[in-house]
Amino acid sequence: MTMTENAGDTRPAQPGADLPRLNRSLRPAAKAPVRIVHLGLGAFHRSHQAWYTHRAGDAAEWGIASFTGRRPDAALALAEQDSLFTLVERGDAGDSFEIIGSIVDAVDGADVARLAELVSAPATAIITLTITEAAYRLGADGLLDLRAPDVVADLDVLARRTGSPATPLGRLAFALGARRAAGTGPLAVVCCDNLASNGTVARRAVTGLAAAWDAGLAAWIEANVSFVGTSVDRITPRTTEADTAAVEAACGYRDTSPVVAEPFRNWVLSGDFPAGRPRWEDAGAVFVDDIEPYENRKLWLLNGAHSLLAYAGQLRGHATVAQALQDELCRRAVERFWDEAEANLPGPDLQIPAYRAALLERFGNGRIAHHLAQIAMDGSTKLRMRAVPVLLAERARGRSGAAAALMIAAWMDYGAAAAQLQDPLAAGVAAANSLGGAERTRALLALVDPDLAADAAVVDLIEDLRGMFGERAVSR
Ligand code: CS2
């Protein structure tokens, strides 16, 4: 069911609690059986994979059981409305509203027994992941950091067989162990996080953790789990109270968990699905043999510009992507970074000029309040995918890579100015910031990439670029 906002609607903007709650009588089609298990029940999962599954021609056969990460809240709220939610597609011209029915079970991530039960069920064919870039616990060398405290704690829990693992990787390894024990055969793990070579990263992280627990499980995963790589794209800001009110006003029911997204969406996938998959191509998903150029285009051009705007924009006092883009200084920094990135992306097939033009329009969508503070988090991990490859590629061609370096410098300035930094390496950032001058810059760079930090010319370049956007205190 798709509804379009009726401008002539006379209902009050905030109809209040007397409205019915979104409920099963509004389910767009019968509940599908669970065949997909998802880890990371957040807004992006719902605007992207849940939407594609909902729109697949064979949606009736593919239900998603979606597990939250750290907190149960999103699952509790969805469970109260039969796992249904409204997707608000917010374009320049207005909003359209659609009830998405592909999630059939919303579960507290801490319920690891239920996860193991569903992952080991014969009908389950796919596990999708949106657990955030930082959750793969990759060190700067690209391998699982077996010394990360939460990884150590999960390995301890798994070895003792008491309690439950708390990280997504630990939970996934545990559930795959249950599938192995049940003998229910191969399946696909589809990584939907913004990481370069995300299928490979997921495989390394999951098998790395499994190997440290149970070598037999690691071998079983290697032989039975297909790690599918993807490039995912749909700008999905955090839902606000105003969004919830807009759904009430337009749809006439109360939905505590709507999701707002831009009309644009894109999903490129590469890999095997040994137990089958929905016909996501019906909804526009594209299956390719070589995903790397698509990944790089998206990670460098979209996500790279996002990170640059997040740090530069906040240092300049802006709150949203659209606002930062109107600032000449920020906009020029983005264009220069895009020039560097483009010089290292292959051929005309990727249609970079059109992609860049489309990005300017998407970022400029003033009706989407995409907060820079949301994008700014976990910078030490994100920059490894968004700035470092472009910087390295430029330097390998004998150029400076100054625009990519500026993104890193802006992250450093932001880290020094932010009242509270949300980053897996926040303690390291604070320690580095207690040093002075070039030593500080070198120590911060080592958190992102130790090899780059050993290159004095790169440290000097970044040091020179510090302070370019001012050092306004950043409160959030
Ligand atoms: C953003 C992404 O928060 C971020 O780091 O760059 O979430 C971005 O909005 C999505 O990748 C768009 O597809």
Side-chain angles (χ1 to χ4, degrees):
M1 171 171 46
T2 305
M3 290 159 276
T4 304
E5 193 172 31
N6 175 1
D9 198 326
T10 51
R11 277 175 296 189
Q14 301 240 0
D18 52 331
L19 286 176
R21 179 86 180 256
L22 174 57
N23 64 69
R24 85 166 72 119
S25 73
L26 294 167
R27 181 169 277 286
K31 251 186 176 174
V34 173
R35 298 205 60 202
I36 302 173
V37 172
H38 182 78
L39 296 191
L41 173 49
F44 179 71
H45 162 60
R46 294 189 286 136
S47 76
H48 193 272
Q49 304 95 54
W51 180 86
Y52 276 92
T53 306
H54 174 79
R55 287 291 184 95
D58 51 359
E61 295 161 37
W62 292 92
I64 305 172
S66 197
F67 288 74
T68 56
R70 284 189 210 100
R71 289 187 306 272
D73 314 21
L76 296 175
L78 271 186
E80 276 184 38
Q81 43 192 56
D82 199 31
S83 306
L84 296 168
F85 64 94
T86 312
L87 177 71
V88 182
E89 233 175 64
R90 182 153 291 169
D92 272 341
D95 290 350
S96 69
F97 303 83
E98 181 176 16
I99 295 174
I100 305 295
S102 54
I103 298 183
V104 295
D105 201 359
V107 193
D108 175 358
D111 191 348
V112 178
R114 177 91 177 122
L115 178 69
E117 180 190 334
L118 285 172
V119 166
S120 51
T124 298
I126 297 171
I127 301 171
T128 48
L129 306 176
T130 53
I131 58 179
T132 77
E133 293 94 317
Y136 293 85
R137 288 293 176 265
L138 300 181
D141 59 1
L143 296 173
L144 178 71
D145 180 2
L146 285 167
R147 290 163 317 169
D150 53 357
V151 173
V152 173
D154 265 9
L155 283 171
D156 190 48
V157 164
L158 290 167
R160 289 169 193 265
R161 298 191 176 275
T162 53
S164 296
T167 68
L169 288 182
R171 290 171 179 171
L172 181 55
F174 179 78
L176 288 172
R179 187 165 179 101
R180 175 187 178 216
T184 38
L187 86 180
V189 168
V190 183
C191 179
C192 301
D193 285 295
N194 288 314
L195 294 150
S197 309
N198 62 5
T200 308
V201 165
R203 191 184 67 236
R204 281 203 200 132
V206 176
T207 46
L209 192 117
W213 169 38
D214 172 349
L217 175 61
W220 182 88
I221 292 173
E222 286 286 5
N224 289 280
V225 179
S226 165
F227 287 88
V228 175
T230 70
S231 172
V232 292
D233 195 1
R234 189 164 210 183
I235 290 171
T236 309
R238 214 168 263 148
T239 306
T240 65
E241 278 174 23
D243 300 329
T244 309
V247 172
E248 290 184 359
C251 303
Y253 56 72
R254 207 158 54 84
D255 177 353
T256 59
S257 309
V259 175
V260 177
E262 62 173 340
F264 179 94
R265 62 257 157 179
N266 184 252
W267 199 6
V268 187
L269 303 96
S270 182
D272 297 328
F273 289 83
R277 63 165 175 82
R279 287 196 345 234
W280 286 318
E281 61 270 37
D282 296 342
V286 180
F287 292 82
V288 299
D289 290 332
D290 179 15
I291 198 160
E292 196 185 319
Y294 299 94
E295 266 179 359
N296 288 345
R297 181 179 67 176
K298 197 263 170 172
L299 279 172
W300 297 354
L301 296 179
L302 188 148
N303 298 111
H306 258 176
S307 287
L308 183 49
L309 291 170
Y311 306 124
Q314 289 188 91
L315 287 163
R316 301 265 299 160
H318 308 301
T320 68
V321 172
Q323 286 164 2
L325 200 64
Q326 280 176 5
D327 179 334
E328 238 348 84
L329 201 60
C330 296
R331 162 79 172 254
R332 256 188 284 129
V334 167
E335 297 275 8
R336 288 208 187 104
F337 174 69
W338 280 349
D339 290 343
E340 286 185 0
E342 182 173 351
N344 295 287
L345 286 165
D349 282 3
L350 288 179
Q351 301 184 323
I352 306 293
Y355 191 89
R356 282 173 62 158
L359 279 184
L360 285 178
E361 243 178 67
R362 292 171 64 194
F363 287 174
N365 180 346
R367 299 193 66 246
I368 295 253
H370 198 185
H371 284 273
L372 299 170
Q374 181 184 344
I375 298 167
M377 61 179 67
D378 298 344
S380 62
T381 308
K382 289 176 176 176
L383 290 184
R384 285 178 203 147
M385 255 77 61
R386 303 178 181 195
V388 171
V390 176
L391 178 57
L392 287 176
E394 282 293 275
R395 294 189 76 80
R397 289 171 174 236
R399 295 190 291 257
S400 75
L406 183 57
M407 189 193 313
I408 301 176
W411 168 73
M412 292 177 178
D413 291 340
Y414 170 81
Q420 222 191 354
L421 190 67
Q422 278 208 51
D423 193 289
L425 301 182
V429 171
N433 274 329
S434 66
L435 303 169
E439 270 320 302
R440 181 177 64 154
T441 295
R442 188 191 318 280
L444 288 166
L445 187 56
L447 298 173
V448 177
D449 190 312
D451 291 342
L452 272 181
D455 184 335
V458 173
V459 175
D460 284 349
L461 171 67
I462 295 178
E463 174 70 9
D464 279 351
L465 293 167
R466 303 247 354 224
M468 195 70 98
F469 299 102
E471 292 197 359
R472 192 187 284 255
V474 181
S475 57
R476 295 185 350 119

